[in-house]
């Protein structure tokens, strides 16, 4: 038992504490505890999500590049292939005839003259060869009929003694160079399909390169007109087309 004087002091001390504050009700204590518990749970969930994200990122970074399960890569934007210098002597790589060139329309008859010459021209002779002449022999007027992009059939405008149209055709003769000869016109015949492109100019007039399947029509000082592939060599023979009026129907 506490002596009575001490009991009085204890009661006074308790009363003093009561005046300084009050003991919270049980409901308040429970509500505050629930709030703190919910905060701790939310913080735990957030921390767990951050840890899972970090572990996932580490797994992706550690995965080998050849893994079939690697993350998909989105389509790349448009790219431009690096420019490469072309060593091809093909004049078609840098130039071509305009689509409205009347001399290549199939409606005009022209003479074909080497650009380096001031007189003479190409002619289909009586023996069928295409040759360069200074006179009036053979058939010297030609019609360039379009077959496709830069591709033409070259027909003789003059029929000569027969009723069959005659066209240029590439022929081979053993070890001899390719040549152009006269043949009955056949638009589907590959040997009658010539590529003609505008290539440079001379005295203000356009000049043309004539080829057949990469073999170019060139003039040889010893063999005359032949067709040969250029390889790394430069094209040395170009032609002018001289208008001689409307082509015969």
């Amino acid at each position: 038992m506490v002596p009575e004087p001490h009991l009085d002091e204890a009661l006074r001390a308790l009363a003093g504490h009561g005046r300084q504050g009050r003991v919270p009700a049980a409901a308040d204590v429970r509500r505050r505890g629930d709030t703190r518990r919910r905060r701790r749970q939310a913080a735990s969930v957030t921390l767990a999500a951050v840890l899972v994200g970090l572990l996932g990122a580490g797994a992706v970074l550690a995965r080998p590049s050849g893994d079939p399960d690697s993350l998909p890569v989105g389509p790349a934007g448009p790219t431009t292939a690096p420019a490469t210098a072309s060593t091809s002597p093909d004049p078609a790589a840098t130039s071509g005839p305009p689509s409205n060139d009347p001399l290549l329309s199939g409606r005009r008859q022209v003479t074909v003259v080497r650009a380096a010459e001031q007189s003479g021209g190409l002619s289909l002779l009586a023996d069928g060869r295409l040759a360069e002449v200074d006179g009036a022999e053979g058939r010297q007027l030609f019609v360039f009929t379009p077959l496709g992009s830069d591709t033409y059939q070259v027909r003789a405008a003059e029929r000569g003694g027969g009723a069959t149209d005659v066209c240029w055709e590439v022929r081979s003769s053993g070890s001899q160079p390719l040549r152009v000869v006269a043949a009955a016109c056949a638009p589907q015949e590959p040997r009658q399909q010539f590529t003609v492109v505008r290539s440079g100019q001379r005295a203000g007039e356009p000049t043309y390169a004539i080829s057949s399947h990469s073999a170019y029509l060139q003039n040889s000082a010893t063999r005359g007109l032949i067709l040969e592939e250029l390889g790394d060599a430069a094209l040395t023979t170009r032609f002018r087309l001289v208008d001689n009026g409307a082509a015969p129907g």
Side-chain angles (χ1 to χ4, degrees):
M1 287 293 291
V2 177
E4 186 171 334
H6 293 291
L7 179 60
D8 291 340
E9 293 177 4
L11 290 174
R12 283 194 297 272
L14 181 60
H17 285 299
R19 285 192 300 270
Q20 295 174 3
R22 63 183 182 86
V23 177
D28 291 339
V29 172
R30 186 180 301 110
R31 183 172 61 255
R32 294 175 183 175
D34 290 343
T35 300
R36 287 194 295 270
R37 185 166 53 254
R38 284 194 296 270
R39 290 176 179 173
R40 286 196 299 269
Q41 290 175 348
S44 299
V45 170
T46 301
L47 179 59
V50 170
L51 290 175
V52 169
L54 292 175
L55 290 174
V60 171
L61 293 174
R63 182 174 299 151
S65 59
D67 193 329
D69 294 331
S70 58
L71 292 176
V73 179
T79 58
T80 302
T84 57
S86 173
T87 58
S88 170
D90 186 355
T94 57
S95 62
S99 59
N100 61 347
D101 191 333
L103 302 181
L104 298 173
S105 66
R107 297 188 295 271
R108 309 298 293 180
Q109 57 183 356
V110 300
T111 54
V112 182
V113 181
R114 272 198 300 136
E117 293 296 315
Q118 297 300 320
S119 62
L122 306 193
S123 175
L124 282 176
L125 301 178
D127 61 4
R129 293 181 299 117
L130 181 69
E132 188 175 53
V133 299
D134 290 330
E137 64 267 35
R139 284 172 279 192
Q140 301 182 25
L141 292 176
F142 302 101
V143 179
F144 286 75
T145 302
L147 297 177
S149 177
D150 296 337
T151 305
Y152 302 86
Q153 184 182 52
V154 186
R155 174 175 59 86
E158 305 151 298
R159 289 180 178 270
T164 303
D165 284 339
V166 174
C167 290
W168 291 9
E169 184 172 296
V170 178
R171 291 280 178 85
S172 61
S173 178
S175 60
Q176 298 298 314
L178 296 174
R179 296 184 180 276
V180 176
V181 300
C185 293
Q188 302 305 318
E189 171 58 61
R191 293 175 298 174
Q192 294 186 16
Q193 298 170 1
F194 290 85
T195 299
V196 183
V197 295
R198 186 177 284 186
S199 176
Q201 62 179 11
R202 187 178 181 86
E205 296 182 358
T207 57
Y208 301 81
I210 301 175
S211 64
S212 173
H213 304 284
S214 300
Y216 283 82
L217 184 62
Q218 300 215 80
N219 182 68
S220 168
T222 57
R223 295 175 292 183
L225 289 174
I226 60 173
L227 289 106
E228 61 180 357
E229 295 186 358
L230 299 179
D232 294 329
L235 180 66
T236 60
T237 305
R238 293 174 174 82
F239 300 89
R240 291 184 293 115
L241 305 183
V242 182
D243 194 353
N244 278 259

